Amino acid sequence: MIDPAVPRPRRITRPDAVLRGEEIGAGPAFLLLHAGGERRQVWGPVSEVLVDAGYRCVAYDQRGHGESSGDARALSPCAEDVTAMLCAEPPGCVVVGASLGGLAAVAALTDPVVRARVAGLVLVDVVPCLEPSRVRRFLAAAGLHGTRTELVEDILTQVPRLRQVTAELALPILLVHGDHGSSLTDEDIDRLLRLAPHTTVRPLQGAGHLIARDQPVALARAVIAVTTAWR
């Protein structure tokens, strides 16, 4: 008999990459998508809270990260990976995406077949209506200028499409953002609310851009509190 409290390995073979991950828990699923430069293990403390609350968590290393192969040079392959992850799950999954993970999720939701499999979207300190010059300044201030430059620039060219997808989404959306060191401004949040007025916004104190590291328990509790009504 499978013990749901023990992590189980997951693997998806893509045409140009092998995605390695794991799942833990039993019940309705969360697909957890980490930020650029991170690994799936960042979700460990978040998953503990979600599993204790009766959920199942699935997390992969994104392509070019951790144990997953492939190149992360453009957003489209990352979005196609998210599509493959969702197609490996029963319908009704809630997608939780931090930074790159959130943008890849939005891009994947362009496909109506993918949207039909998703119960809702949680964006963790990221919005699809990015302002390119400010993104570059944020990365430079964080000492990340020149890190995955090709991917960053490709994402910034995709902003009009990401905005359009978001404006057309009928799915429920939760934005969780930090207060200290967040990548978002009030203007970013206002732009998202204009695109998707049904979005719920939850600020978390004591969190920066990488909320899963800074405030994992608070993040998990916010996710549970809002998304329980989505299923």
Side-chain angles (χ1 to χ4, degrees), residues 161-179:
R161 181 169 72 98
L162 295 173
R163 285 189 183 125
Q164 181 178 355
V165 172
T166 305
E168 294 172 354
L169 278 183
L171 293 172
I173 300 171
L174 167 64
L175 170 65
V176 182
H177 67 91
D179 58 352

Side-chain angles (χ1 to χ4, degrees), residues 119-230:
L121 173 65
V122 180
L123 298 172
V124 182
D125 212 66
V126 69
V127 294
C129 38
L130 302 170
E131 204 286 306
S133 61
R134 200 186 59 72
V135 170
R136 296 186 184 102
R137 289 196 301 272
F138 174 82
L139 293 173
L144 299 174
H145 182 70
T147 302
R148 300 188 184 272
T149 302
E150 192 172 352
L151 175 59
V152 170
E153 292 302 321
D154 179 75
I155 288 172
L156 294 178
T157 67
Q158 301 291 326
V159 168
R161 181 169 72 98
L162 295 173
R163 285 189 183 125
Q164 181 178 355
V165 172
T166 305
E168 294 172 354
L169 278 183
L171 293 172
I173 300 171
L174 167 64
L175 170 65
V176 182
H177 67 91
D179 58 352
H180 176 70
S182 170
S183 66
L184 304 183
T185 64
D186 291 341
E187 289 77 12
D188 292 324
I189 296 169
D190 288 343
R191 279 195 292 268
L192 174 61
L193 290 172
R194 287 195 294 272
L195 284 175
H198 57 285
T199 300
T200 301
V201 179
R202 289 288 183 271
L204 292 186
Q205 293 184 343
H209 180 53
L210 300 176
I211 298 178
R213 287 186 179 274
D214 296 340
Q215 293 289 345
V217 174
L219 172 58
R221 288 175 176 167
V223 168
I224 292 169
V226 175
T227 67
T228 297
W230 294 0

